[in-house]
Amino acid sequence: MKKLELLAPAGDLEKLKIAVLYGADAVYLGGRQFSLRAGAGNFDDNEMLEGIKFAHSRNVKVYVAINIYAHNPDLEKLPSYLEFLARAGVDAVIASDPGVIDMTLRLQPGLPIHLSTQANTTNWASAAFWQRLGLQRVVLARELSLAEIKEIGARVDVELEAFVHGAMCMSYSGRCLLSNFLTGRDANRGDCAQSCRWRYYLVEEKRPGQYFPVEEDSRGTYFMSSKDLCLLDYIPQLAAAGVTSFKIEGRMKSIHYLATVVKIYRQALDSYLKNPAAYTVKPEWMDEITKVSHREYTTGFLLGDQGRTATVEPGQSSYTRRASFVGLVLGQDEATGRLVVEQRNNFKVGEELEALTPTGDNRQVKVQAIFDGETGEPMDVAPHPQQILQLSVDHPLPPMAMLRRIQ
């Protein structure tokens, strides 16, 4: 059996460390330029070097996105950036623009290239073309069915990567001009305003000022708002079809979202690799991924073209979630023995919280006391965002555990 990789997003240095500690085999990230997630925190050069060192020390690979569709001025800085990435020891770059790919092959021939999903590879001939050109991996278009993926896997000898979880774009392989047209923010250069999530009305030319809702109910409709992808059920079929890298979307998601989803897919992949024939999705996995912010889950196009019901969610653009992330465990104070926690949302003394930990089962903990992290003064409630606190709880917790309130 080929080695299977769990690939997680890393929107900034904190998220990279969370993804690594919660079980990713590889992470993908963007620098301050050339990346299609301009809204993510992203990495300056020093942060990228620190992130690569952290990941490599734990045998986790780092892939860097240079996946914009470049305009002429973009290319001027590319040679020096490619040289930096090669010196930094990144394991691969992710690219979609043929010019960017050609420059990378010529200027840094030892730097592996993964073809971005933005290149919308939907057939085996395209995958074979990129393989002959020298690319190591193809990130498949999200519009493919399982049967199509299987045929591509049978006809080419290039690594295949597929998205298995996260937000989906209503536009073909993410190539969208809506944001650029409405706001001047170019989605194909990393600055999408997510215009598809807005509420829209009809206006008739001869009746200006009269707005007619396009709605399913009294709240209106979000007729371009995609559901979220979840393919936990189909890990065996994807592996059998030739997929070796299972990719989670979400460089702009929270660390709570990232930790939860990475941990569940880590458990799922480990369960499959341990006994492929006996693989089944555990109810607790599905329960867990409903705790993070998400839209209704879907299999997308994996089971064939199911029309808009598979991907579009009329009537809802907001997320639902069953848990609120309230604190990140930084460690334990040696003098007091208390947990050192960075507050992320309000919680109070006496409250029962759930702890998500990098490994092992979730734990229930009771907040017995709260102290100001600087003065040591006791507090009844933790009111200030990102305040450093010390907690007395009834169970010890490891660093990077996350405290949350179940709703």
Side-chain angles (χ1 to χ4, degrees), residues 36 69 71 176-177 179-180 183-192:
L36 272 180
Y69 282 96
H71 291 234
C176 181
L177 297 177
S179 172
N180 201 346
T183 70
R185 291 171 53 179
D186 192 345
N188 295 315
R189 299 177 80 184
D191 201 22
C192 182

Side-chain angles (χ1 to χ4, degrees), residues 89-341:
V90 302
D91 297 283
V93 295
I94 307 167
S96 53
D97 185 293
V100 171
I101 291 171
D102 180 65
M103 290 182 69
T104 304
L105 288 168
R106 288 188 293 104
L107 299 177
Q108 298 295 336
L111 189 57
I113 304 174
H114 296 174
L115 185 69
S116 172
T117 191
Q118 291 287 123
N120 53 282
T121 302
T122 56
N123 62 77
W124 61 264
S126 292
F129 166 79
W130 293 111
Q131 179 185 342
R132 289 194 302 271
L133 203 61
L135 274 65
Q136 184 184 83
R137 178 184 295 184
V138 171
V139 186
L140 297 170
R142 303 187 207 200
E143 292 78 17
L144 290 176
S145 69
L146 188 60
E148 290 173 312
I149 295 172
K150 187 175 182 179
E151 184 173 0
I152 293 172
R155 286 177 172 263
V156 301
D157 189 26
V158 66
E159 293 178 12
L160 300 182
E161 177 179 307
F163 281 93
V164 294
H165 196 92
M168 299 179 67
C169 181
M170 64 88 190
S171 200
Y172 194 82
S173 287
R175 297 175 121 185
C176 181
L177 297 177
L178 188 63
S179 172
N180 201 346
F181 178 77
L182 292 177
T183 70
R185 291 171 53 179
D186 192 345
N188 295 315
R189 299 177 80 184
D191 201 22
C192 182
Q194 294 204 355
S195 307
C196 58
R197 310 293 187 191
W198 299 351
R199 186 189 299 268
Y200 288 89
Y201 293 89
L202 284 175
V203 60
E204 199 273 324
E205 179 184 8
K206 296 181 179 179
R207 287 184 280 183
Q210 295 186 39
Y211 298 97
F212 301 93
V214 182
E215 60 184 10
E216 297 290 333
D217 56 30
S218 60
R219 296 174 299 171
T221 186
Y222 299 83
F223 55 92
M224 292 182 286
S225 186
S226 298
K227 298 177 183 179
D228 281 359
L229 186 68
C230 177
L231 298 183
L232 273 173
D233 279 306
Y234 295 93
I235 286 175
Q237 293 90 330
L238 287 166
V243 173
T244 57
S245 181
F246 294 72
K247 188 172 191 175
I248 297 168
E249 181 276 338
R251 277 193 277 161
M252 296 174 64
K253 300 288 190 180
S254 70
I255 61 170
H256 174 238
Y257 176 97
L258 181 62
T260 302
V261 175
V262 169
K263 183 177 180 180
I264 292 304
Y265 276 85
R266 174 77 276 151
Q267 291 176 353
L269 278 178
D270 288 348
S271 175
Y272 169 74
L273 291 169
K274 183 177 180 180
N275 190 347
Y279 178 82
T280 184
V281 174
K282 298 180 180 179
E284 56 264 34
W285 296 346
M286 295 305 300
D287 178 70
E288 188 70 9
I289 61 171
T290 64
K291 293 177 182 176
V292 298
S293 294
H294 67 285
R295 295 180 177 89
E296 181 183 344
Y297 287 126
T298 177
T299 56
F301 295 95
L302 192 74
L303 305 182
D305 185 1
Q306 302 173 81
R308 71 188 185 101
T309 57
T311 55
V312 180
E313 187 173 9
Q316 180 180 354
S317 89
S318 60
Y319 290 92
T320 59
R321 65 181 182 186
R322 294 181 42 243
S324 295
F325 173 38
V326 300
L328 176 66
V329 177
L330 303 180
Q332 188 173 21
D333 184 80
E334 293 183 0
T336 64
R338 301 172 187 144
L339 289 183
V340 179
V341 173

Side-chain angles (χ1 to χ4, degrees), residues 6 8-10 14-27 60 258-259 262:
L6 178 58
E14 181 184 44
K15 293 174 184 177
L16 180 148
K17 293 179 178 180
I18 290 293
V20 170
L21 294 174
Y22 276 79
D25 297 306
V27 296
V60 173
L258 181 62
V262 169

